[in-house]
Amino acid sequence: SGVHLLSHPDCTHAMRARALGAIRQAEDTTTEVLNNLLENSKIDAGKLTLNMSAVDVSALLDKLERVYHVQAEARQLQFAVDVAQLSGQPFWLDASRITQMLSNLVSNALKFTTGGEVRVAVAWLSDSAVLSGQGSNVQTDMAQQSYLLFSVSDTGPGISEANQARLFQEYVQIRESGYSHLGTGLGLVVVRKLAHQMGGAAGVRSVEGAGSTFWFTVPTAPVRTAVVLKNTGRTARGARQVTQSP
């Protein structure tokens, strides 16, 4: 095992580095699985609380890039983050949930991509027509709302149309060339459920043999707008703490 290798007298610096990397990745995978199980249980029990705050999305994605850059490099993949449009503008969001959702998508993309790149992007949009190209799962009540569109694209094997319909089902692991059967099958389920809890949507666009783009939307507003809505008592999804009760 990695632990035994670290204590071996013939273990080189490079071998120790690889062993430590494997140990950290195993710890991260275990944490991810437990977090998804816990989050899924909270949502199903109606006890999810969204902790809203002013979030610098650019800083959040910079941190994500630092976390996953090492994994991408180890797999000889390019890892890129595109936040140019936001330029430090804070939004009213649940930072820990957004991070978890993106982590689930990035982790999957890195796991199943053997060459090329994984790219994370975010855009601030208010025109519902832009979503027409994202898939058929967009909720019609999102029209005329301001929202953030997060996406994770990869150059992996792509997913057949038949399997795309099964991706967001609980404990389902697709059996398709280029995909292993590791994990719980809950990562994408949690992404979609959290998106729905926030008033958004989640989906996938993929062409078999040509990569995939997983995306989710979150209705929100820049902090200067969200705070005004909150203080005036107007209903604005994403502008205050939301607690579900059974």
Side-chain angles (χ1 to χ4, degrees), residues 119-138:
R119 178 175 294 272
V120 182
V122 59
W124 177 28
L125 307 170
S126 58
D127 182 0
S128 60
V130 178
L131 284 175
S132 62
Q134 301 300 332
S136 59
N137 299 307
V138 178

Side-chain angles (χ1 to χ4, degrees), residues 79-108:
F79 185 67
V81 172
D82 182 6
V83 293
Q85 184 195 13
L86 300 185
S87 63
Q89 169 65 57
F91 288 84
W92 209 252
L93 297 165
D94 184 326
S96 64
R97 268 43 185 263
I98 297 296
T99 298
Q100 181 179 1
M101 295 160 80
L102 286 171
S103 294
N104 284 354
L105 298 184
V106 171
S107 179
N108 279 349

Side-chain angles (χ1 to χ4, degrees), residues 21-168:
I23 292 169
R24 279 194 288 265
Q25 187 167 353
E27 290 175 346
D28 291 343
T29 300
T30 300
T31 301
E32 181 181 310
V33 169
L34 292 175
N35 285 343
N36 284 332
L37 286 169
L38 179 61
E39 205 77 324
N40 193 55
S41 297
K42 283 183 180 178
I43 295 171
D44 288 347
K47 296 186 179 296
L48 180 73
T49 298
L50 299 178
N51 300 306
M52 314 304 286
S53 63
V55 177
D56 183 339
V57 179
S58 298
L60 185 150
L61 292 189
D62 284 344
K63 182 177 180 181
L64 189 82
E65 183 178 21
R66 291 194 298 272
V67 169
Y68 285 101
H69 175 77
V70 175
Q71 288 186 33
E73 194 173 58
R75 294 180 61 81
Q76 298 184 319
L77 297 171
Q78 296 294 318
F79 185 67
V81 172
D82 182 6
V83 293
Q85 184 195 13
L86 300 185
S87 63
Q89 169 65 57
F91 288 84
W92 209 252
L93 297 165
D94 184 326
S96 64
R97 268 43 185 263
I98 297 296
T99 298
Q100 181 179 1
M101 295 160 80
L102 286 171
S103 294
N104 284 354
L105 298 184
V106 171
S107 179
N108 279 349
L110 291 175
K111 188 187 306 180
F112 299 126
T113 304
T114 57
E117 75 164 8
V118 171
R119 178 175 294 272
V120 182
V122 59
W124 177 28
L125 307 170
S126 58
D127 182 0
S128 60
V130 178
L131 284 175
S132 62
Q134 301 300 332
S136 59
N137 299 307
V138 178
Q139 297 175 348
T140 56
D141 64 356
M142 290 178 63
Q144 307 306 316
Q145 292 192 36
S146 172
Y147 54 88
L148 290 177
L149 168 63
F150 295 88
S151 63
V152 177
S153 303
D154 64 60
T155 53
I159 304 164
S160 66
E161 191 171 340
N163 274 324
Q164 288 180 42
R166 303 173 59 242
L167 281 173
F168 293 90

